Amino acid sequence: MKPVKRIEIIIDSLDIRMVLQELEDIGISSYSVIRDVIGSGDRGARSGDLLNDAMKNSYILIACDEEQAEKITEALRPKLKRYGGMCLVSDAQWVQH
Amino acid sequence: MKPVKRIEIIIDSLDIRMVLQELEDIGISSYSVIRDVIGSGDRGARSGDLLNDAMKNSYILIACDEEQAEKITEALRPKLKRYGGMCLVSDAQWVQH
Amino acid sequence: MKPVKRIEIIIDSLDIRMVLQELEDIGISSYSVIRDVIGSGDRGARSGDLLNDAMKNSYILIACDEEQAEKITEALRPKLKRYGGMCLVSDAQWVQH
Amino acid sequence: MLNPAVLFFFLGILAVLARSDLEIPQCISKLMSLYLLLAIGFKGGVELSHSSFGTEIAATLLSAVLMSALVPIYTFFVLRRFVPAHDAAAIAATYGSISAVTFITAVGFLQTLEIPSSGYLVAAMALMESPAIIVGLVLYRYVAAGQDVEGDDFAWSRVLREACFNGSVFLILGSLLIGLVTTDAHAASLAPFTDDLFKGVLTLFLLDMGLIAGRRLAALREAGIGLVLFAVVVPLVNAAAGVAITLVLGLGLGDALLFTVLCASASYIAVPAAMRLSIPQANASLYVTLSLAVTFPFNIVVGLPLYLAVLRWVHA
Amino acid sequence: MLNPAVLFFFLGILAVLARSDLEIPQCISKLMSLYLLLAIGFKGGVELSHSSFGTEIAATLLSAVLMSALVPIYTFFVLRRFVPAHDAAAIAATYGSISAVTFITAVGFLQTLEIPSSGYLVAAMALMESPAIIVGLVLYRYVAAGQDVEGDDFAWSRVLREACFNGSVFLILGSLLIGLVTTDAHAASLAPFTDDLFKGVLTLFLLDMGLIAGRRLAALREAGIGLVLFAVVVPLVNAAAGVAITLVLGLGLGDALLFTVLCASASYIAVPAAMRLSIPQANASLYVTLSLAVTFPFNIVVGLPLYLAVLRWVHA
Amino acid sequence: MLNPAVLFFFLGILAVLARSDLEIPQCISKLMSLYLLLAIGFKGGVELSHSSFGTEIAATLLSAVLMSALVPIYTFFVLRRFVPAHDAAAIAATYGSISAVTFITAVGFLQTLEIPSSGYLVAAMALMESPAIIVGLVLYRYVAAGQDVEGDDFAWSRVLREACFNGSVFLILGSLLIGLVTTDAHAASLAPFTDDLFKGVLTLFLLDMGLIAGRRLAALREAGIGLVLFAVVVPLVNAAAGVAITLVLGLGLGDALLFTVLCASASYIAVPAAMRLSIPQANASLYVTLSLAVTFPFNIVVGLPLYLAVLRWVHA
Ligand SMILES: Nc1ncnc2c1ncn2[C@@H]1O[C@H](COP(=O)(O)O)[C@@H](O)[C@H]1O
Ligand SMILES: Nc1ncnc2c1ncn2[C@@H]1O[C@H](COP(=O)(O)O)[C@@H](O)[C@H]1O
Ligand SMILES: Nc1ncnc2c1ncn2[C@@H]1O[C@H](COP(=O)(O)O)[C@@H](O)[C@H]1O
Ligand code: NA
Ligand code: NA
Ligand code: NA
């Protein structure tokens, strides 16, 4: 098992394309996305019940090494500031295969 | 980055309103919810295939400080005892923005 | 609160039955599943937009003790090798109820 | 008689047994059940608007409510001998309440045989969902349970709201009322949706019900032979009571069949949701499986033609 | 006049107020809105293919675009006195743009009254979505905002694409063009889908809109009485302007109503999506709530009959 | 000839190219494909119940199975020169199997031209899904693969179940059998659902297919020009073989077209699912992209009119 950083991002569903583009730009090509997430935060409730993806969040999970984690959080910080959302970093072990 | 507690709750979808109400009551207004979760536990399989939300779970993710985490787990303990489900607490770093 | 291992598995949706069967075989009967996960990895993008569950992932979350975690990762390793996917292990506290 | 809708139900069960990956996403199940409830409620309301509200209707609705309240009582005392009080109460409520899908299948059955029925039976259906839940809870809390129920956060207000305003009751009653006040011109403009598609959607929906019921078959073993028998005998007893009541009330053949089917059917939508909140100790897998994997197929396959034959015989 | 579609809208609101768990999954909402946009676009195109493109059509489309561009300007300067510039710009764009659902409800309303209308109004609808967004952004970025907009990653290309190629505009215009080139035989083979089901799907969809609007009612308090008044008065002002324009253009009654309704309606699909990307500071809850929970119900309940009465009076 | 269904397919592709956010949720795609499979199977069964089972039918079904088994063999040996054995086997199985959507589009195409066809071609379609999968696997495991396949947890039982009982095969065959035993009165009561809506749902579904295919276009570069050519030439070769067989069998024009289209089409539902389980090394993106983004559009746009013209010519 290999120690990795586990990055969780919650961001507006409308911004997901932009974030994935950002990840690609900094060379991250492995990630997982859960598209339908609702919630509540500083910008109020997001109930996910409109006719499009406005008012809905998505969840991104990335397992990567420490250096990449650094890059990702640096790239995301201004986006999170501008568009809202949340980003958590924690530790995990990657089961090698 | 700021150290935070990362609380994960899995609970019956029918109870989700109640849990969110409980969170509001103790002053937690930031959380994320994934509504369609299936699973299996002490009370058997939950296949999520009925015509309503019976037999289905929801997942709640909360990033908060240690004190709030304490409050949340205390408030949830009796609910989990009565209605089933699970609650995990782990450590994470919050990317400040 | 009781320390537990928190196992996260991301695997092809078509393989989910097989993985759950594997879990049952080694005596794990408590788990949660999120069925609709998309992503990208070594085997390219998985956009989840075909007419069946090909090209889509599922997410499994298991809280268990260390010994069980060992068993699970050992059982999954060859599957992950053959079918792709990812498995992370991290630490958490189980809120007892 | 080979009704394609019923055959699709069996196709669904077969798909599960053959371990096929045939599957209908839950939101599609929800769409179909929303559609069927809206259509049946609306059509019931439109029909009702053409009939005059008389004592027959009032007597039928009253009998429906009474049946829904009485069935849980006798079944509860029978069940208590075999299962814990919380399970007995939950199963009793299940059998006192009704299954909208069974009712809708019966309406389709009558349509095919061109036997007329009245719209107010839809109102009877909606009224029969809640009394059983309330009676089941009263039995559990005041008759059976000891320290079990002390200090829990039970609130009648929440349970009553759940019992009376749950989605399906709300939609049926709402659609019925809207149908009642809708002009014939408006109703006609909706007919391609509410009428013409009805049988087809019901067919696809029964395929889905077959898949759902099939997946529950494995849980039957857990329930045991005694409860499975219960799930066949109680509908028959209730249907017999229903037939007797329709004779007293003097209902026409179609209405009598619908009334009988309501008595014989058991809930798997409203009751499980209400029980989870009010008797969480009860084993949901048990009561859902009995009503969904035994009583529902029994009613639509054996029950419908049987009840009709009996009604034809006693009405003659 | 008791239109069942409108009654179902109220049933949805009532379900929220009664705290019923009635709910329509989001993918079903999407299915219904896809269907309605496709059907309305396609039928508009087919009708258009039977009429000759003349100056009346060109003048109407031009007026539509102008209205969509001018409304945000006056509303922006009104709003700036009460709310921050970013919210003012977002709300202004919201009211300059249109609501496809309101338009579709108006088409259903005309069908019931058997008042004819032309297909090119569908084109007008599609053309009115984007100008308001662009004008709103120009006002915000070049008129009002100071250091707010410096150094952000704003890109007109991305916003224009969002404004012009968003899913609903794209589907309406695409379906319109396809309808335009479709032969009558093909159109007839699609009619059971695009025509016969239209009213029924609209009815179920309005139930859903009622649920969605109902859930937003709580947010009205946050908006305050001033903005709620705004959400009723501005549609009336715009409708009055619309009526005047239809007189100048000499439109028939049905077309005039549709044009008026477009002017009076406010967006809650395209604009929120575009605003999120371009003015993320704006409070989405504010502008979505005003258009969805105030202006939309106002237009379909009070507006439609009112505008029709006025148009009948001025056209006479 | 401007068929709106095909135009909607292009609208979908265009939406992707224009980077519009137009999107159809996956569960809606599933609903539409469930509906289309059920409708086509059921109607096929009903038609079949009116025809007598003779040698023509038996010979056609046998030829269909043979084509499905033989196509993978020749394509496999061609492909092996260009791609690794696991990809060759997976692509070979893809082209031996069939695409239900292409078949359904062809049925719609015939309906529009009012060319009659027989129900048993639906059975042929269902029978052609599995043999190709099995032959592809045999080739891979016993002809090509070396140490690759040693020690893996491959189980024929699991793969055969997947190949024969996968959701779409199961639903088509089940619906066909139910259609076969359904009385005309029952079938008529389902017609507004199974017949009248068919073209409309197909149209919306092709919009969805356009979106899905459009998203795969980017992956074509990865496949390379050689494989793209393969994805156009092999359908033509198989179609030619199909035409020859229909001449030998003496099929009518409509049946001949459907048979030819089955030969020419390539799978993107059943085969990808089966390959994932049995040849996980194969690059799914490759074979799905070829069949979905090249062969499928080629068949419905160029193929259908071309094959019909050729068949008309040879049949004359
Ligand atoms: N502390 C938190 N814990 C969990 N989720 C959060 C938290 N803060 C924000 N979120 C998620 O991020 C979304 C946007 O947050 P905000 O920008 O603060 O409104 C919310 O709708 C939540 O889904
Ligand atoms: N150890 C566990 N790991 C992951 N999920 C669990 C675990 N235990 C319970 N769950 C989830 O919580 C739900 C209710 O659990 P229970 O009350 O034990 O039946 C289950 O259906 C699972 O989704
Ligand atoms: N480093 C990672 N972080 C997050 N998710 C991953 C990662 N690697 C793989 N995955 C997920 O696992 C799936 C299969 O991975 P792979 O077998 O590498 O193609 C991907 O589609 C992702 O959803
Ligand atoms: Na009953
Ligand atoms: Na407007
Ligand atoms: Na083929």
Side-chain angles (χ1 to χ4, degrees):
Chain A
M1 294 211 288
K2 186 180 74 175
V4 291
K5 288 288 171 191
R6 192 180 163 280
I7 302 187
E8 294 172 291
I9 304 160
I10 291 184
I11 198 149
D12 201 304
S13 292
L14 293 170
D15 300 332
I16 193 93
R17 272 192 199 187
M18 177 185 68
V19 172
L20 296 184
Q21 183 61 50
E22 195 81 33
L23 290 178
E24 205 187 301
D25 291 351
I26 58 175
I28 304 291
S29 61
S30 290
Y31 52 81
S32 298
V33 177
I34 298 175
R35 286 189 51 176
D36 289 340
V37 179
I38 56 179
S40 170
D42 298 343
R43 289 166 307 121
R46 302 185 60 76
S47 50
D49 63 357
L50 291 197
L51 300 174
N52 57 5
D53 280 353
M55 297 290 194
K56 200 160 85 177
N57 302 324
S58 286
Y59 172 98
I60 309 177
L61 174 66
I62 311 167
C64 58
D65 62 34
E66 203 155 346
E67 197 188 328
Q68 289 174 314
E70 194 77 21
K71 268 205 238 162
I72 295 171
T73 52
E74 279 328 298
L76 280 180
R77 217 187 285 273
K79 304 281 169 200
L80 291 170
K81 202 178 167 71
R82 181 160 159 78
Y83 297 104
M86 145 175 124
C87 177
L88 299 179
V89 182
S90 57
D91 291 304
Q93 302 288 321
W94 171 280
V95 175
Q96 261 163 328
H97 55 265
Chain B
M1 295 210 289
K2 188 179 73 174
V4 290
K5 289 287 174 192
R6 194 180 162 280
I7 303 187
E8 294 172 290
I9 304 160
I10 291 184
I11 198 151
D12 201 304
S13 291
L14 292 170
D15 300 332
I16 192 92
R17 273 193 198 185
M18 177 185 69
V19 172
L20 297 183
Q21 184 60 50
E22 194 81 33
L23 291 178
E24 205 186 302
D25 291 350
I26 58 176
I28 305 289
S29 62
S30 291
Y31 52 81
S32 299
V33 177
I34 298 175
R35 286 188 50 175
D36 289 340
V37 180
I38 56 180
S40 170
D42 298 343
R43 288 167 307 120
R46 302 187 60 77
S47 50
D49 63 357
L50 291 197
L51 300 173
N52 58 4
D53 280 354
M55 297 288 192
K56 200 160 84 177
N57 301 326
S58 288
Y59 172 98
I60 309 176
L61 174 66
I62 311 167
C64 60
D65 62 32
E66 202 157 344
E67 197 187 328
Q68 288 173 315
E70 193 78 20
K71 267 205 239 162
I72 294 171
T73 52
E74 278 329 297
L76 281 181
R77 217 186 283 273
K79 303 281 170 200
L80 291 170
K81 202 179 167 69
R82 183 161 159 77
Y83 297 103
M86 146 175 122
C87 178
L88 298 179
V89 182
S90 56
D91 291 304
Q93 302 287 321
W94 170 280
V95 175
Q96 260 163 329
H97 56 267
Chain C
M1 295 210 288
K2 186 180 73 174
V4 289
K5 289 288 172 190
R6 194 180 163 280
I7 303 187
E8 294 172 289
I9 303 161
I10 291 185
I11 199 150
D12 201 304
S13 292
L14 293 171
D15 299 332
I16 192 91
R17 272 194 200 186
M18 177 185 68
V19 172
L20 297 183
Q21 183 61 50
E22 195 81 32
L23 291 178
E24 205 187 301
D25 290 350
I26 59 176
I28 304 290
S29 61
S30 290
Y31 53 80
S32 298
V33 177
I34 298 174
R35 287 190 49 175
D36 289 341
V37 179
I38 56 181
S40 170
D42 298 342
R43 290 167 306 121
R46 302 185 59 78
S47 51
D49 63 356
L50 292 197
L51 300 174
N52 58 4
D53 280 353
M55 296 289 192
K56 200 159 84 175
N57 302 324
S58 287
Y59 172 99
I60 309 176
L61 175 66
I62 310 166
C64 60
D65 62 34
E66 204 159 343
E67 195 187 330
Q68 289 174 314
E70 193 77 22
K71 267 205 239 161
I72 295 172
T73 52
E74 279 329 298
L76 281 180
R77 218 187 283 272
K79 303 281 169 200
L80 291 170
K81 201 179 168 73
R82 181 161 160 79
Y83 298 104
M86 148 175 122
C87 178
L88 299 178
V89 182
S90 57
D91 291 305
Q93 302 288 322
W94 171 279
V95 175
Q96 261 162 329
H97 55 265
Chain D
M1 207 204 57
L2 295 163
N3 184 337
V6 172
L7 292 176
F8 273 102
F9 178 78
F10 283 109
L11 188 65
I13 291 189
L14 208 68
V16 177
L17 297 180
R19 305 197 55 191
S20 165
D21 63 355
L22 183 63
E23 199 187 40
I24 299 187
Q26 199 201 16
C27 64
I28 303 306
S29 317
K30 285 190 182 172
L31 169 63
M32 294 191 289
S33 76
L34 283 169
Y35 164 81
L36 291 169
L37 294 173
L38 187 153
I40 204 93
F42 184 76
K43 291 194 292 182
V46 170
E47 280 165 27
L48 205 51
S49 73
H50 294 148
S51 62
S52 57
F53 190 87
T55 47
E56 186 193 292
I57 296 186
T60 308
L61 296 183
L62 192 69
S63 315
V65 171
L66 280 179
M67 270 303 281
S68 168
L70 293 178
V71 165
I73 300 180
Y74 94 82
T75 46
F76 176 73
F77 289 104
V78 171
L79 283 160
R80 249 183 104 183
R81 299 162 180 250
F82 308 104
V83 292
H86 48 249
D87 285 332
I91 302 177
T94 301
Y95 281 83
S97 184
I98 56 88
S99 150
V101 184
T102 312
F103 181 81
I104 288 169
T105 310
V107 170
F109 180 78
L110 289 177
Q111 279 176 8
T112 307
L113 298 177
E114 296 181 6
I115 300 173
S117 64
S118 324
Y120 70 88
L121 267 300
V122 175
M125 164 172 71
L127 293 178
M128 285 176 83
E129 292 229 43
S130 320
I133 295 173
I134 295 161
V135 171
L137 282 181
V138 167
L139 286 169
Y140 174 60
R141 296 191 71 82
Y142 303 118
V143 179
Q147 74 279 56
D148 247 37
V149 302
E150 271 165 39
D152 62 8
D153 59 353
F154 182 86
W156 272 107
S157 67
R158 191 174 154 217
V159 170
L160 285 178
R161 197 181 55 233
E162 188 65 39
C164 302
F165 290 153
N166 79 70
S168 56
V169 174
F170 197 91
L171 184 54
I172 296 168
L173 279 182
S175 306
L176 187 95
L177 291 176
I178 292 176
L180 205 54
V181 300
T182 293
T183 62
D184 285 0
H186 272 127
S189 77
L190 289 178
F193 184 69
T194 52
D195 291 18
D196 299 352
L197 291 189
F198 189 77
K199 281 277 196 71
V201 176
L202 179 59
T203 299
L204 184 54
F205 187 61
L206 283 182
L207 172 65
D208 193 15
M209 292 301 302
L211 290 167
I212 296 175
R215 282 184 218 117
R216 305 240 126 240
L217 285 180
L220 276 186
R221 195 159 312 164
E222 197 195 317
I225 184 74
L227 284 177
V228 172
L229 263 177
F230 172 95
V232 172
V233 172
V234 165
L236 287 173
V237 173
N238 293 350
V243 168
I245 294 171
T246 63
L247 271 182
V248 174
L249 293 171
L251 300 186
L253 185 62
D255 294 355
L257 182 75
L258 293 180
F259 188 92
T260 304
V261 160
L262 285 175
C263 296
S265 74
S267 169
Y268 41 76
I269 302 185
V271 173
M275 287 302 120
R276 255 297 299 168
L277 293 169
S278 41
I279 317 185
Q281 304 88 323
N283 183 347
S285 168
L286 206 61
Y287 51 86
V288 172
T289 301
L290 290 179
S291 66
L292 195 52
V294 183
T295 305
F296 173 66
F298 176 78
N299 271 327
I300 64 168
V301 180
V302 180
L304 283 180
L306 176 68
Y307 307 153
L308 186 68
V310 171
L311 282 166
R312 275 199 161 123
W313 183 70
V314 299
H315 277 239
Chain E
M1 207 204 57
L2 294 162
N3 183 336
V6 172
L7 292 175
F8 272 102
F9 178 78
F10 284 109
L11 188 66
I13 291 189
L14 208 68
V16 177
L17 297 180
R19 305 198 57 191
S20 166
D21 63 355
L22 183 61
E23 198 188 38
I24 300 188
Q26 200 202 12
C27 63
I28 303 306
S29 317
K30 286 189 181 172
L31 169 63
M32 293 190 289
S33 75
L34 282 169
Y35 164 81
L36 291 169
L37 295 171
L38 187 153
I40 204 91
F42 184 76
K43 290 194 292 182
V46 170
E47 280 165 26
L48 205 51
S49 72
H50 295 149
S51 62
S52 56
F53 188 87
T55 47
E56 187 193 292
I57 297 187
T60 308
L61 296 184
L62 191 70
S63 315
V65 171
L66 281 178
M67 270 304 280
S68 168
L70 293 177
V71 165
I73 300 181
Y74 94 83
T75 45
F76 177 72
F77 289 103
V78 171
L79 284 162
R80 250 183 104 183
R81 299 161 179 250
F82 308 103
V83 293
H86 49 249
D87 285 332
I91 302 177
T94 302
Y95 280 84
S97 183
I98 56 88
S99 149
V101 184
T102 313
F103 181 82
I104 288 168
T105 311
V107 169
F109 180 77
L110 289 177
Q111 279 177 9
T112 307
L113 298 177
E114 296 182 6
I115 300 173
S117 63
S118 323
Y120 70 88
L121 267 300
V122 175
M125 164 173 72
L127 293 179
M128 286 177 81
E129 292 229 43
S130 320
I133 295 173
I134 294 162
V135 170
L137 281 181
V138 167
L139 286 168
Y140 174 61
R141 296 189 73 82
Y142 303 118
V143 178
Q147 73 281 53
D148 246 38
V149 300
E150 273 165 38
D152 62 8
D153 60 351
F154 181 86
W156 272 107
S157 67
R158 192 174 154 217
V159 170
L160 285 178
R161 195 180 57 232
E162 189 65 38
C164 302
F165 290 152
N166 80 68
S168 56
V169 174
F170 197 91
L171 185 53
I172 297 168
L173 279 182
S175 306
L176 187 97
L177 290 176
I178 293 176
L180 205 55
V181 300
T182 293
T183 61
D184 284 2
H186 272 127
S189 77
L190 289 178
F193 184 70
T194 53
D195 291 19
D196 300 352
L197 291 189
F198 189 76
K199 282 279 196 70
V201 176
L202 180 59
T203 299
L204 184 54
F205 187 61
L206 283 182
L207 172 65
D208 193 14
M209 291 302 300
L211 291 166
I212 296 175
R215 283 184 217 117
R216 306 240 125 238
L217 285 179
L220 276 185
R221 196 159 312 164
E222 196 196 317
I225 184 74
L227 283 176
V228 172
L229 264 178
F230 173 94
V232 171
V233 172
V234 164
L236 287 173
V237 173
N238 293 348
V243 168
I245 294 171
T246 63
L247 271 181
V248 174
L249 292 172
L251 299 185
L253 185 61
D255 294 356
L257 182 76
L258 292 181
F259 189 91
T260 304
V261 160
L262 285 176
C263 296
S265 74
S267 170
Y268 42 76
I269 303 185
V271 174
M275 288 300 119
R276 255 299 297 170
L277 292 170
S278 41
I279 318 185
Q281 303 87 324
N283 183 348
S285 169
L286 207 61
Y287 52 86
V288 171
T289 301
L290 291 179
S291 67
L292 195 52
V294 184
T295 305
F296 172 66
F298 176 78
N299 272 325
I300 65 168
V301 180
V302 181
L304 283 180
L306 177 67
Y307 308 154
L308 186 68
V310 171
L311 281 166
R312 276 200 160 124
W313 183 71
V314 298
H315 277 239
Chain F
M1 207 204 58
L2 294 162
N3 184 336
V6 172
L7 292 175
F8 272 103
F9 178 77
F10 284 109
L11 188 67
I13 291 189
L14 209 68
V16 177
L17 296 180
R19 305 197 57 190
S20 165
D21 63 355
L22 183 62
E23 199 187 39
I24 300 188
Q26 199 201 15
C27 64
I28 303 306
S29 317
K30 285 189 182 174
L31 169 63
M32 294 190 289
S33 74
L34 283 170
Y35 164 81
L36 291 169
L37 295 173
L38 187 152
I40 205 90
F42 184 76
K43 290 194 292 181
V46 171
E47 280 165 26
L48 205 50
S49 73
H50 294 148
S51 61
S52 56
F53 188 87
T55 48
E56 187 192 292
I57 297 187
T60 309
L61 297 183
L62 191 69
S63 316
V65 170
L66 281 179
M67 270 303 280
S68 169
L70 294 178
V71 165
I73 300 181
Y74 93 83
T75 46
F76 177 72
F77 288 104
V78 171
L79 284 161
R80 250 183 104 182
R81 298 161 180 251
F82 308 104
V83 293
H86 48 249
D87 286 331
I91 302 178
T94 302
Y95 281 83
S97 183
I98 57 88
S99 150
V101 185
T102 312
F103 181 82
I104 288 168
T105 310
V107 170
F109 180 77
L110 289 176
Q111 278 177 7
T112 307
L113 298 177
E114 296 181 6
I115 301 174
S117 64
S118 325
Y120 69 89
L121 268 300
V122 175
M125 164 171 74
L127 293 179
M128 285 177 84
E129 293 229 43
S130 320
I133 295 173
I134 295 161
V135 170
L137 282 181
V138 167
L139 286 170
Y140 174 60
R141 296 190 73 82
Y142 303 119
V143 178
Q147 75 280 53
D148 248 38
V149 301
E150 272 164 39
D152 62 7
D153 59 351
F154 181 87
W156 272 107
S157 67
R158 193 174 154 217
V159 170
L160 285 178
R161 197 181 55 234
E162 189 65 37
C164 302
F165 290 152
N166 80 69
S168 55
V169 174
F170 197 91
L171 184 53
I172 297 168
L173 280 182
S175 306
L176 187 97
L177 290 176
I178 293 177
L180 204 56
V181 300
T182 292
T183 62
D184 285 2
H186 273 127
S189 78
L190 289 178
F193 184 69
T194 52
D195 292 19
D196 300 351
L197 291 189
F198 189 77
K199 282 277 196 70
V201 175
L202 179 59
T203 300
L204 185 55
F205 187 62
L206 282 182
L207 172 65
D208 193 14
M209 291 302 302
L211 292 166
I212 295 175
R215 282 184 218 118
R216 305 239 127 239
L217 285 180
L220 276 186
R221 195 159 313 164
E222 196 195 318
I225 183 74
L227 284 177
V228 172
L229 264 178
F230 172 95
V232 172
V233 173
V234 165
L236 287 174
V237 172
N238 293 348
V243 169
I245 294 172
T246 63
L247 272 181
V248 174
L249 293 171
L251 299 186
L253 185 62
D255 294 356
L257 182 76
L258 293 181
F259 188 91
T260 305
V261 160
L262 286 175
C263 295
S265 74
S267 169
Y268 41 77
I269 302 184
V271 174
M275 287 301 119
R276 256 297 299 168
L277 293 170
S278 41
I279 318 186
Q281 303 87 324
N283 183 346
S285 169
L286 206 62
Y287 53 85
V288 171
T289 301
L290 291 179
S291 67
L292 195 52
V294 183
T295 305
F296 173 65
F298 176 78
N299 272 326
I300 65 168
V301 180
V302 180
L304 283 181
L306 176 67
Y307 308 153
L308 186 68
V310 171
L311 282 166
R312 276 199 161 123
W313 183 71
V314 299
H315 276 240

